[in-house]
Amino acid sequence: MDVTTPANAPWLVVGLGNPGPEYAMNRHNVGFMVADLLAERMGGKFKRAGKAQAQTLEGRIGPLGPGSRRVVLAKPMSYMNLSGGPVNALRDFYKVPPANVVAVHDELDIDYGTLRLKLGGGDNGHNGLKSVTKAMGAEYHRVRFGIGRPPGRMQVADFVLKDFSSAERKELDYLVDRAADAVEALVLEGLERAQSTYNS
């Protein structure tokens, strides 16, 4: 296990996205999709989290017993470019060390469906990460879900706010499932082991 992840500290796993049904299947909302699947696996439902402008679910990841980890799943309801406020409020409330925060997000500079896990780094122009980093610093984990670059001259903002294409949707369930596996591996086994399995 990484030295930055003490066994008794809770984890905060945040899926980044935009609230509302019109955004539900957008490329920018793949973080929400992964969070929803993790909630399903944990056997719970998201609930509104008081003043934090987020939906949350508290539970555990991993086998029953001492090997499991306490996890707070969250979906900020503040829109992507204001994610930092809710994330930092939850981190403070649950007393989560920054290195136990995991942001799951779409990534333009990686091919569709490819995963990359890392700790810290820049925001690469991603407004959700930019907001989180401004609120709490950059030393948190990221699970980056590749969506590829926009075709032709399409603007980035238009591309990320479009739904996945019909061709992409054929693989989407499998890829979201794999991303959820990667989050669980990161929490349970640490960054290096998770990277060796999922950084394809």
Side-chain angles (χ1 to χ4, degrees):
M1 182 182 299
D2 298 344
V3 293
T4 51
T5 57
N8 59 344
W11 284 77
L12 175 61
V13 176
V14 182
L16 296 181
N18 287 307
E22 67 272 33
Y23 299 106
M25 289 304 295
N26 287 182
R27 294 181 177 92
H28 223 18
N29 268 44
V30 75
F32 274 18
M33 297 174 200
V34 175
D36 285 337
L37 179 57
L38 286 166
E40 194 179 306
R41 292 181 180 184
M42 288 164 64
K45 289 193 184 325
F46 281 103
K47 295 176 182 168
R48 194 72 188 218
K51 298 176 181 176
Q53 269 194 300
Q55 291 183 355
T56 60
L57 168 63
E58 294 180 61
R60 299 190 81 83
I61 282 178
L64 290 174
S68 68
R69 298 281 178 267
R70 183 177 164 224
V71 170
V72 179
L73 274 180
K75 296 191 297 183
M77 294 286 113
S78 58
Y79 291 97
M80 180 70 87
N81 60 349
L82 298 172
S83 300
V87 172
N88 205 36
L90 290 169
R91 189 183 71 78
D92 284 346
F93 181 79
Y94 288 102
K95 298 180 172 53
V96 179
N100 278 31
V101 176
V102 182
V104 186
H105 64 92
D106 57 303
E107 179 62 63
L108 284 160
D109 286 336
I110 302 174
D111 289 342
Y112 174 63
T114 299
L115 296 176
R116 291 278 188 275
L117 283 68
K118 71 173 191 173
L119 173 64
D123 57 59
N124 209 21
H126 191 288
N127 287 331
L129 294 182
K130 196 175 291 183
S131 179
V132 172
T133 296
K134 185 176 179 184
M136 55 168 273
E139 289 306 299
Y140 56 93
H141 287 90
R142 298 101 190 273
V143 174
R144 305 156 74 205
F145 186 109
I147 61 169
R149 301 294 302 184
R153 299 188 177 196
M154 185 186 291
Q155 294 295 312
V156 165
D158 294 333
F159 179 69
V160 299
L161 293 176
K162 281 197 183 316
D163 289 358
F164 284 102
S165 69
S166 55
E168 288 169 335
R169 282 199 295 271
K170 289 175 183 174
E171 289 186 281
L172 186 59
D173 286 349
Y174 164 75
L175 296 170
V176 167
D177 192 72
R178 191 166 184 271
D181 290 346
V183 172
E184 291 179 343
L186 172 58
V187 169
L188 292 169
E189 301 170 17
L191 179 61
E192 286 186 15
R193 288 190 65 179
Q195 283 176 325
S196 69
T197 304
Y198 293 99
N199 275 20
S200 46

